[in-house]
Amino acid sequence: MDYLRIKHSDNLYGSVKISGAKNSALPLIAATILSKNDVVLENLPNVVDVKVLIKLLTMLGASSKDINENSVSINTNNINNTQVVYDMVRKMRASILLLGPLLARFRKCQVSLPGGCAIGARPVDLHIKAMGNMGADIHITNGYINASAPKGLKGSNIIFDKITVTGTENVIMAAALAKGTTIITNPAKEPEIIQLCDVLRQAGVEISGQGSNEIVIVGSDGELLDFKNIEIIPDRIEAGTYLCAGAITNSSITINNVIPKHLEAITNKLKEIGFGIEVDSSSITILKARELSGFEITTSEYPGFPTDMQAQFMALATQCNGVSTIKERLFENRFMHVNELQRLGANISLLGNVANISGRSNLIGADVMATDLRASSALILAALIASGETRIHRIYHLDRGYEKIEQKLSTIGVKIERLKGDKI
Ligand code: UD1
């Protein structure tokens, strides 16, 4: 199995081009089910999760054509199967995003329940309840959500007790083809939600309120939509990860092709720690800090501090003075990276969903194991300042969401290689 070997690389320089956002690409690929024509997606990140979802669509009967490495054209007119099998959902939880659009267009579907994952139980009860509110008849049998709405979905008032990103996306997509008006109260406000709404509006759906506490969608009553070409927004989590590479090594680097507003929670935290931040229309430069102060983070829904950046900031905290505190509010088990960071010499104590990190620690290279996507990037960051070399195993997690990670890190001065190793 491939592993990454990273040698101590504490003097980074230059710039990195940020790819399209995986978490925007996934709902938009699912949304192509609502289209009557070919849909061209550009600035698509070439990562495993994106490839898996496109493959899943083709298994249902859709066709896809690569235009280049980062653009694809998808046509869903020949979908003749609406069963999303366990094997695919197991590989990628986001396959649940097919529930809303399949049900809206074909009036029935079977989608495997995802089950738990490395970062927690991650139920999909809110997705299921919302589809029920929109008129679907739902039975859970043999691990599958069996959903049907023979007369089509109907607009409805959906009130989310808890904010859910993919849950909100499923309802938006289902509502786009439903009969009547859907009002979503307490929706997610992530930039990826805004992009999905913008794309559907350009495709002819009446949508308002995205980014606020209430989204209103007037459905097309089953009429398929007329999609325009889509340019995926930049990946704010990939961008934040590279900023952390600059931060942990106290180097000045620039990230290009970003929307700085989407990164404000991250750049504000970096400023609080002591870094200078220079912002241009589509780039951000992190400037060296004189001293790195400890910090506090509580993860939250957008526009709060993203849970997807928690692990990277934990690695950074090992190099800050004093005690930093990180409270994980969204996922109950998202601390799998703690043990691995400790193997490198980090001083972290865990109490429930709060981690206290005492800095500064002299990290020492070791063999460590990636446990989920963002935990893996925290290990890469720690490896940059660990003495000697660090070998990171199970890097298939990284490939799910970071495009060309070795090439991009090499460009800014990281000594990194992907090697073939024993099965671990
Ligand atoms: C999305 C992102 C993921 C990010 C997460 C939180 C994608 C593809 N993934 O995941 O990278 O970490 O948002 O920002 O966009 N919940 C329920 N019932 C449900 C749905 C969710 O209890 O039906 C809970 C979850 O267990 C979690 C919280 O709600 O505690 C937020 O989860 P959610 O926003 O749904 O995460 P995802 O959409 O799966």
Side-chain angles (χ1 to χ4, degrees):
M1 216 179 272
D2 287 2
Y3 69 95
L4 288 177
R5 182 170 70 189
I6 299 176
K7 293 189 179 151
H8 180 82
S9 313
D10 65 355
N11 190 11
L12 307 189
Y13 49 81
S15 62
V16 184
K17 182 169 178 270
I18 299 305
S19 299
K22 167 181 86 70
N23 286 356
S24 207
L26 296 174
L28 290 169
I29 291 166
T32 63
I33 292 173
L34 310 173
S35 173
K36 65 177 169 203
N37 44 19
D38 289 354
V39 184
V40 174
L41 294 135
E42 288 163 358
N43 200 33
L44 198 63
N46 195 352
V47 295
V48 171
D49 271 9
V50 162
K51 288 186 194 150
V52 168
L53 193 59
I54 294 174
K55 168 127 189 276
L56 221 170
L57 275 187
T58 61
M59 283 166 68
L60 301 181
S63 58
S64 82
K65 198 169 75 204
D66 290 340
I67 298 167
N68 60 45
E69 206 188 352
N70 297 105
S71 315
V72 69
S73 173
I74 298 176
N75 184 302
T76 56
N77 283 337
N78 291 329
I79 287 186
N80 53 8
N81 171 5
T82 55
Q83 189 188 44
V84 181
V85 296
Y86 175 67
D87 207 35
M88 297 306 270
V89 181
R90 185 176 58 82
K91 281 197 187 113
M92 191 185 53
R93 299 183 51 80
S95 319
I96 190 69
L97 281 167
L98 299 178
L99 175 67
L102 281 177
L103 186 55
R105 177 163 176 180
F106 299 100
R107 302 185 170 190
K108 64 172 178 121
C109 65
Q110 271 192 311
V111 179
S112 171
L113 280 168
C117 77
I119 63 174
R122 299 188 83 175
V124 289
D125 56 314
L126 301 173
H127 302 236
I128 296 172
K129 195 170 149 207
M131 294 304 130
N133 285 346
M134 296 180 77
D137 189 20
I138 300 198
H139 297 282
I140 311 281
T141 36
N142 302 333
Y144 277 83
I145 306 164
N146 296 283
S148 70
K151 293 189 184 143
L153 294 172
K154 53 180 197 312
S156 171
N157 286 347
I158 306 290
I159 302 173
F160 281 119
D161 305 338
K162 203 173 193 180
I163 298 180
T164 160
V165 176
T166 48
T168 303
E169 289 162 349
N170 249 331
V171 174
I172 292 169
M173 292 186 281
L177 251 56
K179 183 181 171 70
T181 301
T182 297
I183 300 176
I184 311 176
T185 304
N186 200 27
K189 302 188 179 87
E190 270 65 3
E192 295 76 23
I193 300 271
I194 313 271
Q195 174 157 51
L196 175 64
C197 290
D198 287 348
V199 164
L200 291 176
R201 188 162 4 79
Q202 282 156 18
V205 183
E206 221 179 285
I207 297 192
S208 58
Q210 58 273 34
S212 78
N213 291 330
E214 194 174 89
I215 303 179
V216 180
I217 304 142
V218 182
S220 69
D221 195 8
E223 198 182 314
L224 293 179
L225 309 176
D226 186 9
F227 275 66
K228 309 290 176 293
N229 285 9
I230 301 169
E231 164 106 13
I232 311 279
I233 56 169
D235 195 314
R236 63 199 164 93
I237 305 301
E238 187 200 20
T241 304
Y242 283 100
L243 284 179
C244 280
I248 200 166
T249 56
N250 203 8
S251 313
S252 178
I253 61 161
T254 299
I255 51 169
N256 293 322
N257 191 35
V258 294
I259 299 175
K261 175 124 196 62
H262 294 172
L263 282 140
E264 269 176 6
I266 297 163
T267 46
N268 284 344
K269 196 51 72 178
L270 290 170
K271 281 186 206 162
E272 201 183 302
I273 295 171
F275 296 99
I277 297 287
E278 271 178 11
V279 175
D280 221 325
S281 58
S282 63
S283 68
I284 301 177
T285 299
I286 178 165
L287 306 170
K288 289 184 188 189
R290 233 176 313 154
E291 216 172 308
L292 276 63
S293 308
F295 57 89
E296 283 180 22
I297 282 175
T298 300
T299 62
S300 171
E301 296 83 3
Y302 190 86
F305 190 92
T307 172
D308 286 351
M309 283 302 300
Q310 181 256 99
Q312 298 88 319
F313 270 75
M314 192 177 296
L316 175 56
T318 66
Q319 302 309 300
C320 295
N321 294 323
V323 178
S324 298
T325 303
I326 298 183
K327 183 171 179 186
E328 173 56 58
R329 253 191 66 246
L330 297 186
F331 295 111
E332 68 275 19
N333 196 24
R334 202 167 201 178
F335 279 132
M336 306 277 282
H337 42 285
V338 169
N339 281 337
E340 302 303 303
L341 289 172
Q342 284 168 335
R343 287 173 56 73
L344 296 171
N347 185 352
I348 305 171
S349 64
L350 259 187
L351 192 63
N353 67 341
V354 178
N356 287 311
I357 308 102
S358 303
R360 320 179 23 157
S361 297
N362 287 324
L363 303 187
I364 301 168
D367 282 278
V368 287
M369 209 168 69
T371 48
D372 75 48
L373 174 57
R374 307 304 170 185
S376 320
S377 53
L379 298 178
I380 291 191
L381 297 175
L384 301 180
I385 36 116
S387 60
E389 68 175 45
T390 300
R391 289 165 299 278
I392 305 177
H393 303 273
R394 300 206 175 163
I395 52 170
Y396 49 83
H397 291 291
L398 271 174
D399 295 333
R400 284 185 38 221
Y402 286 94
E403 182 172 14
K404 295 191 176 148
I405 189 150
E406 305 100 273
Q407 288 96 314
K408 289 190 186 189
L409 284 168
S410 303
T411 321
I412 53 172
V414 176
K415 296 176 211 115
I416 181 169
E417 273 177 296
R418 184 181 288 246
L419 298 165
K420 294 252 171 262
D422 296 335
K423 250 192 152 96
I424 294 192

